Amino acid sequence: MVKIERPFDLFTERMSRVPFVPPAAASTARAAATTAAPAAPRALKGRQTRSAILDAALQLAAEKGLEGLSMGVLAEALHMSKSGVFAHFGSREALQLCVIREYNDRFAIEVFQPALRQPRGLPRLQSLFQRWVHRVSDEIDSGCLYISGAVEFDDRPGPVRDALVTMVQAWQQALHRAMELSIQVGHLQAQTDTRQLLFEVHGLVLALHHDARFLRQADVLQRAQVAFERVVLHNATPAGQLLMMSSTDALQARIKERS
């Protein structure tokens, strides 16, 4: 039996192949390595500074988009020199790529990893969807980098677009494998069109983001959950339907608490 864990590993494996460090920066790093190693306190301070820059860059990207990232604005927000920010990343594009990777890592921690603790089949698929929806709903004031980044770079080829595409494709593959595994364990019908199901489930989150962020509708979280249950129940076996129905009341109670 194929394990669903592999797409989650693939998610981070693919991202590790994205060239986030430009050749110039890599050459500088190698040259520095030939000199005396920096003292531990200095290295620690460097990591802390880089982390602070990334936190500020994530917030700026959430507010103004990846194109809104600027070395100058970051330097001003952190009370640093522009050259000090530049020294950590080497270019604006490298900064954008590092922000994408950081966002990806946090998404994996908040959505992927907890879902793996759920039983295979519909419980895990539900967890993936619910955690994804809750993360998007928490980002209403700032925006989901996956979605906003797709709008910014949909017709702009280059490393930033490639990184975003890699993230979204890996995430969709993880969802798709969860659906396939739900068939294997008998929760979804054998004839389920998993590609169609993936399209509909992904579309629900896009609609949630649009109606909550653009239209400012207050009931979109509940509507997304109802729609998810409807589309899954349409494809579920009797055993899968029992699992879905048994968890509905508890899910609705948690949603109301968050709204």
Side-chain angles (χ1 to χ4, degrees):
M1 181 179 292
V2 179
K3 294 184 178 181
I4 191 174
E5 284 80 353
R6 188 175 180 278
F8 291 78
D9 296 335
L10 181 61
F11 185 89
T12 52
E13 178 185 330
R14 283 185 175 182
M15 291 306 298
S16 68
R17 299 173 185 170
V18 178
F20 285 92
V21 180
S27 298
T28 301
R30 286 194 297 268
T34 62
T35 63
R42 183 181 301 176
L44 176 59
K45 183 179 180 181
R47 290 193 297 270
Q48 291 172 337
T49 301
R50 181 182 174 88
S51 178
I53 295 173
L54 276 177
D55 285 341
L58 274 170
Q59 183 175 351
L60 183 62
E63 295 172 356
K64 299 183 178 182
L66 286 167
E67 279 298 276
L69 287 177
S70 162
M71 297 283 189
V73 173
L74 280 174
E76 183 178 353
L78 294 166
H79 305 290
M80 293 177 59
S81 66
K82 186 175 178 179
S83 60
V85 176
F86 185 86
H88 283 276
F89 299 97
S91 71
R92 180 167 173 265
E93 183 178 87
L95 172 63
Q96 290 172 326
L97 291 170
C98 286
V99 167
I100 292 171
R101 170 172 282 182
E102 182 68 18
Y103 185 89
N104 171 72
D105 290 345
R106 296 185 186 190
F107 185 90
I109 291 172
E110 293 181 20
V111 179
F112 279 17
Q113 295 175 9
L116 289 177
R117 293 194 289 268
Q118 298 301 316
R120 297 177 179 180
L122 287 184
R124 188 173 291 181
L125 178 61
Q126 280 183 292
S127 180
L128 285 169
F129 178 77
Q130 290 155 13
R131 290 181 179 279
W132 186 23
V133 163
H134 290 158
R135 181 178 171 89
V136 171
S137 65
D138 287 341
E139 294 176 327
I140 291 305
D141 291 333
S142 58
C144 171
L145 197 59
Y146 288 170
I147 299 173
S148 63
V151 173
E152 288 184 90
F153 290 89
D154 59 347
D155 58 353
R156 298 180 56 186
V160 175
R161 184 185 188 279
D162 292 345
L164 287 166
V165 168
T166 297
M167 285 197 306
V168 174
Q169 286 179 337
W171 168 232
Q172 286 191 343
Q173 184 177 1
L175 285 171
H176 185 246
R177 294 292 293 159
M179 294 169 184
E180 289 184 328
L181 188 55
S182 295
I183 294 176
Q184 293 181 27
V185 300
H187 295 165
L188 291 178
Q189 299 172 32
Q191 69 271 24
T192 298
D193 185 343
T194 52
R195 289 294 178 186
Q196 180 64 33
L197 181 58
L198 173 64
F199 180 86
E200 294 176 10
V201 169
H202 192 266
L204 293 177
V205 178
L206 297 181
L208 163 68
H209 186 271
H210 176 274
D211 287 2
R213 184 163 168 77
F214 183 61
L215 301 180
R216 297 294 174 178
Q217 294 182 356
D219 60 348
V220 289
L221 186 60
Q222 295 93 323
R223 290 188 181 279
Q225 183 61 49
V226 169
F228 174 77
E229 292 174 359
R230 183 177 297 167
V231 71
V232 172
L233 284 171
H234 177 73
N235 294 280
T237 62
Q241 291 173 0
L242 285 175
L243 278 173
M244 291 291 293
M245 298 303 294
S246 65
S247 63
T248 297
D249 292 341
L251 287 173
Q252 292 299 328
R254 288 198 294 270
I255 290 172
K256 289 180 180 178
E257 289 177 0
R258 294 177 61 89
S259 61

